[in-house]
Amino acid sequence: MSPSFAELVEGLATAGYIADEGTATAVQLALALDKPLLVEGAPGVGKTSIAQALAAMLGRRLIRLQCHDGIDAGQALYEWNHARQLLAIRAHQAGPLEALYGDDYLIERPLLAALRAGAQCVLLIDEIDRADDAFEAFLLEFLGEGQITIPERGTLKATTRPLAVLTSNRTRELHEALRRRCLYHWIDYPAPEREAAIVRLHNPSLPERAATSLVAAVGGARRLPLLKKPGVSESIDWSRGAAALAANGTAWPEALRRSLGLLVKDQEDFDLMLREATRILEEAGV
């Protein structure tokens, strides 16, 4: 039975994820309709965290498939343990040819593990936009029918479908066929009040006023022409860095100023941030 909307929002918060109405609704519908959830948004806005929080909230195992350039079915689904098969053949232990394709020789990868775990897991297919078109096409059978095909074993179908969460940073457009098999949700940068609450959830030692100023400064940084705009994860990192300095006796405003560089991940962005730091921090009331 799917949780109510209130139970879902509360459960995600308990698991460390403060969801807005749109995100919570998308998750509720994915659970109710038993469909994969495709989440797009800028890096660092909390897409991966949704799957992690859902697994914690539902008490399910989290199975992660990290996509990358060149990923193929063997890395995602299964591989045969050829070395073990050869040893069995040489030792005449395998028996009939079919025995060489039994579970003893099957190396389970994330998709097969998720298929076998069914509703006892949350499957995170992270950064699907980093995989190529062929891998996207390969996923369609799993996402649409909840089944996979292993040539030597036939079609394996999940008795209960795992909850699948796909994330994309939108570095390229995903195919319509994949989108049709998923519920779609876009995650934007959170509103200042929600981002301050998220930061304080992950860093309770941060004073409320400091959290408000920090989030305002992050908003100012996002308006700069940075190569990579800071996400929520960078806001949390900044708050933790400032907290570490404050714990050693640095006053909060100065701690925030000194750790501002945690917002950026590139030298060009760092130089730009350095030039604009005084203005951004003053406007944020730091």
Side-chain angles (χ1 to χ4, degrees):
M1 181 177 177
S2 299
S4 68
F5 186 79
E7 290 171 339
L8 184 65
V9 171
E10 185 179 351
L12 288 172
T14 302
Y17 192 92
I18 299 178
D20 60 13
E21 183 179 357
T23 301
T25 300
V27 170
Q28 187 182 28
L29 290 175
L31 287 167
L33 301 179
D34 197 20
K35 291 199 70 170
L37 176 62
L38 169 62
V39 184
E40 284 195 322
V45 294
K47 302 184 296 297
T48 300
S49 302
I50 290 178
Q52 295 167 333
L54 270 171
M57 183 193 84
L58 298 171
R60 299 184 185 181
R61 172 188 173 196
L62 178 67
I63 297 176
R64 181 172 184 160
L65 174 60
Q66 178 63 54
C67 297
H68 55 80
D69 186 24
I71 189 171
D72 58 26
Q75 295 166 308
L77 181 55
Y78 74 96
E79 284 184 290
W80 291 113
N81 190 332
H82 296 303
R84 194 168 183 181
Q85 287 174 323
L86 285 173
L87 286 173
I89 292 171
R90 288 172 182 171
H92 305 288
Q93 293 177 349
L97 183 63
E98 293 76 15
L100 290 174
Y101 297 107
D103 283 349
D104 289 345
Y105 306 96
L106 189 63
I107 301 174
E108 187 180 83
R109 300 302 186 200
L111 288 184
L112 181 56
L115 191 86
R116 286 172 164 174
Q120 299 304 309
C121 80
V122 172
L123 172 64
L124 168 62
I125 303 177
D126 212 11
E127 299 184 333
I128 180 61
D129 53 322
R130 296 181 66 178
D132 59 22
D133 294 350
F135 188 74
E136 253 191 71
F138 162 74
L139 286 178
L140 297 181
E141 182 185 17
F142 181 88
L143 297 174
E145 285 77 42
Q147 66 183 35
I148 57 177
T149 300
I150 298 177
E152 300 85 355
R153 299 275 293 267
T155 299
L156 306 178
K157 190 175 181 65
T159 52
T160 54
R161 292 174 60 137
L163 173 60
V165 178
L166 295 82
T167 75
S168 166
N169 292 328
R170 211 173 189 180
T171 57
R172 67 172 179 84
E173 284 296 321
L174 301 176
H175 283 258
E176 198 60 35
L178 184 137
R179 291 178 180 274
R180 280 202 309 273
R181 286 162 172 79
C182 303
L183 296 182
Y184 177 80
H185 181 61
W186 171 266
I187 295 185
D188 209 340
Y189 294 113
E193 298 78 12
R194 191 165 74 90
E195 185 161 6
I198 293 169
V199 169
R200 294 198 74 207
L201 178 67
H202 291 271
N203 185 6
S205 67
L206 186 71
E208 186 172 350
R209 183 176 176 182
T212 301
S213 297
L214 180 149
V215 168
V218 172
R222 287 176 186 150
R223 289 190 286 275
L224 295 175
L226 297 171
L227 296 173
K228 182 189 179 305
K229 297 185 186 299
V232 179
S233 57
E234 280 75 33
S235 299
I236 295 170
D237 286 345
W238 185 21
S239 75
R240 287 173 172 166
L245 295 178
N248 286 325
T250 305
W252 268 108
E254 182 59 22
L256 288 171
R257 288 176 183 275
R258 287 176 57 191
S259 53
L260 180 63
L262 292 174
L263 283 182
V264 295
K265 306 291 185 185
D266 181 272
Q267 183 61 41
E268 291 180 42
D269 285 349
F270 184 83
D271 292 341
L272 176 57
M273 184 70 80
L274 202 60
R275 292 196 297 273
E276 297 288 340
T278 300
R279 179 184 62 79
I280 288 174
L281 292 171
E282 284 180 355
E283 289 178 356
V286 177

